[in-house]
Amino acid sequence: MEKPIYLKDSEDAKLFNELRKKVNRRVEAIPENRDIYIQIKAVLLPLVYFGLYILALFNADRSWVYLSGFVLMGLCLVLIYLNLIHEAAHNNIFKSKSLNSLVLQIFDLVGANSYIWKKRHIASHHAYPNVDGWDTDIEQSGLLLIVPWIKAKGIQKHQHRFFFLVYPLYLFNWMFIRDFRDFFDHERVILKTQGAIPVKEKVKMVAYKLFYFFYQIAVPVLFFKVSIGLALGAWFLQVITASIFALFVLLPLHPLPDNAFPKLDDKNGLPFSWIRHQLEVTNDLKENNWLVRNVLGNFNFHVAHHLFPNYSYAYYNEITEEIEEFAREHNLGYKRFPIFTALGKHVDLLKQNANNAYYILEE
């Protein structure tokens, strides 16, 4: 399959080289190694997650404690993703790739799959963000339509009325459907672009999934006398909590009506150069406080991540200052919204797509 090709623009290439030099100088001027704080989290956050699990098990006779423990595990699961998994995929936590790979495998223990997720994230989402058929983060389903220039059909015409019922099931879809489809459905973009998946990775995926459900549900029932209803209910609440929390952080960054969803031409070419593409399809959030920087992995500064994924989120505050100033000087399309404004814009996108607004404008 022929991969999309970015527009070649020598002036834009010069612009990005200039910006990169400014960013490199800014980061190099920072005396401390901030990655040490992420390395501490690489130990601390998994301990908190499994500590909450043990706390729940040894308080199984008190249902509210057991349920609370699993709900907090759901919140912790998202923090592990934002702070550790995402950075480990880019080899940004440790200098050693093997140590980053070790951190990445935490994902296997909490119900996902590190192997296929890294391929989705690096070779699909980062390579071609917001490009239909290539960015797995905006893959179309039968229920929801994200890409504006695809015509809504059937139930999609009502998606703005029921999306809040679908989004809490986000991680259920990931665990039970998406991972398996990416491993075994040969029509998927991942398999077409990355080649065959080794058999050992397929075995590992199934084995880890079985182990996950064993310790999450079977262990409490078999060894701690938790009722099947309570065990399933607590696990269900954990995954719903994680789904809502994750989408609350992730949805405001790409799928907005203000961001482009570039169409490929008949030669598989994209309309923008690489740097302009990243700015056209990504936005930042205005929130910038201790909680966002240190707990939520600086996902508010997402443009910096797409332009400079080789730096960890610990440096995004300064990198974003350089990007914002550079964008003003060179009239580049940098965007930044308050989080609730961005979430509202995402709902607007769903509504516009449901009403086929793109086709109305074309006509």
Side-chain angles (χ1 to χ4, degrees):
M1 176 182 284
E2 186 180 350
K3 296 180 181 179
I5 303 167
Y6 284 102
L7 179 69
K8 289 180 172 59
D9 189 311
S10 58
E11 290 303 313
D12 283 357
K14 289 178 183 177
L15 279 178
F16 181 65
N17 285 333
E18 183 182 344
L19 175 60
R20 181 166 50 192
K21 289 176 183 177
K22 286 177 176 287
V23 165
N24 288 343
R25 283 197 297 268
R26 181 71 181 271
V27 174
E28 288 166 5
I30 298 171
E32 62 176 330
N33 175 21
R34 296 179 181 173
D35 291 339
I36 188 68
Y37 301 112
I38 307 178
Q39 293 166 11
I40 292 170
K41 292 178 187 178
V43 176
L44 185 61
L45 286 175
L47 287 177
V48 172
Y49 181 85
F50 289 105
L52 288 167
Y53 170 72
I54 292 171
L55 176 68
L57 289 182
F58 284 94
N59 287 274
D61 56 327
R62 291 186 287 178
S63 299
W64 70 271
V65 176
Y66 187 84
L67 290 170
S68 299
F70 272 73
V71 168
L72 291 174
M73 285 167 66
L75 297 176
C76 190
L77 171 58
V78 179
L79 298 183
I80 288 172
Y81 168 77
L82 297 176
N83 289 274
L84 304 181
I85 305 304
H86 189 250
E87 293 302 315
H90 291 279
N91 293 310
N92 285 340
I93 301 179
F94 298 100
K95 292 181 179 179
S96 165
K97 285 189 176 181
S98 60
L99 285 177
N100 285 303
S101 179
L102 186 64
V103 173
L104 192 61
Q105 288 178 44
I106 296 170
F107 223 24
D108 298 306
L109 295 173
V110 294
N113 180 266
S114 60
Y115 175 86
I116 206 68
W117 180 82
K118 183 174 181 178
K119 287 193 175 294
R120 284 191 203 119
H121 187 68
I122 303 296
S124 175
H125 176 64
H126 268 268
Y128 312 108
N130 272 23
V131 179
D132 181 52
W134 293 89
D135 180 1
T136 55
D137 283 7
I138 60 163
E139 281 183 314
Q140 306 309 303
S141 71
L143 292 176
L144 299 177
L145 179 65
I146 299 297
V147 178
W149 47 265
I150 295 178
K151 197 164 187 176
K153 297 178 181 178
I155 197 171
Q156 294 171 345
K157 295 179 180 179
H158 307 281
Q159 62 183 17
H160 54 296
R161 299 187 178 96
F162 66 80
F163 72 92
F164 59 90
L165 298 175
V166 176
Y167 280 166
L169 304 177
Y170 172 64
L171 290 183
F172 292 98
N173 176 67
W174 190 336
M175 291 177 182
F176 292 110
I177 300 174
R178 191 179 182 189
D179 281 348
F180 287 93
R181 287 179 67 192
D182 280 346
F183 266 90
F184 299 106
D185 185 348
H186 294 282
E187 294 302 313
R188 302 284 279 181
V189 170
I190 290 296
L191 294 184
K192 287 183 177 181
T193 58
Q194 300 301 301
I197 295 174
V199 173
K200 70 173 184 178
E201 292 297 338
K202 295 179 180 180
V203 172
K204 281 173 60 179
M205 189 269 285
V206 174
Y208 270 114
K209 295 277 189 188
L210 291 174
F211 176 69
Y212 170 75
F213 290 112
F214 175 72
Y215 83 79
Q216 290 273 336
I217 298 170
V219 166
V221 172
L222 296 175
F223 302 104
F224 291 86
K225 297 182 179 179
V226 175
S227 69
I228 294 178
L230 179 59
L232 288 172
W235 172 75
F236 191 77
L237 284 176
Q238 176 191 173
V239 181
I240 284 183
T241 301
S243 297
I244 295 172
F245 186 19
L247 289 177
F248 186 82
V249 177
L250 300 176
L251 282 177
L253 303 173
H254 289 289
L256 305 185
D258 305 76
N259 292 334
F261 292 82
K263 293 177 72 173
L264 296 168
D265 62 24
D266 55 3
K267 295 182 179 178
N268 243 32
L270 287 162
F272 305 115
S273 65
W274 182 84
I275 181 175
R276 289 187 187 273
H277 182 100
Q278 308 308 316
L279 290 165
E280 289 289 341
V281 305
T282 314
N283 62 272
D284 279 348
L285 300 177
K286 285 192 174 180
E287 285 72 19
N288 182 14
N289 50 51
W290 183 91
L291 178 71
V292 170
R293 290 193 300 271
N294 297 285
V295 178
L296 299 183
N298 250 343
F299 259 69
N300 56 324
F301 293 146
H302 207 59
V303 174
H305 175 62
H306 272 265
L307 290 176
F308 301 98
N310 56 309
Y311 285 116
S312 77
Y313 68 78
Y315 300 95
Y316 287 172
N317 192 57
E318 287 82 359
I319 292 174
T320 299
E321 288 178 2
E322 294 295 330
I323 292 172
E324 197 168 8
E325 181 182 352
F326 192 82
R328 279 197 303 267
E329 291 175 0
H330 297 277
N331 196 30
L332 298 172
Y334 173 79
K335 303 177 290 293
R336 197 169 179 178
F337 309 112
I339 186 169
F340 289 106
T341 299
L343 287 168
K345 286 176 176 290
H346 176 72
V347 177
D348 290 341
L349 177 70
L350 295 178
K351 187 174 183 178
Q352 290 171 24
N353 291 354
N355 294 328
N356 292 317
Y358 180 87
Y359 288 88
I360 293 170
L361 290 172
E362 277 201 334
E363 291 170 5

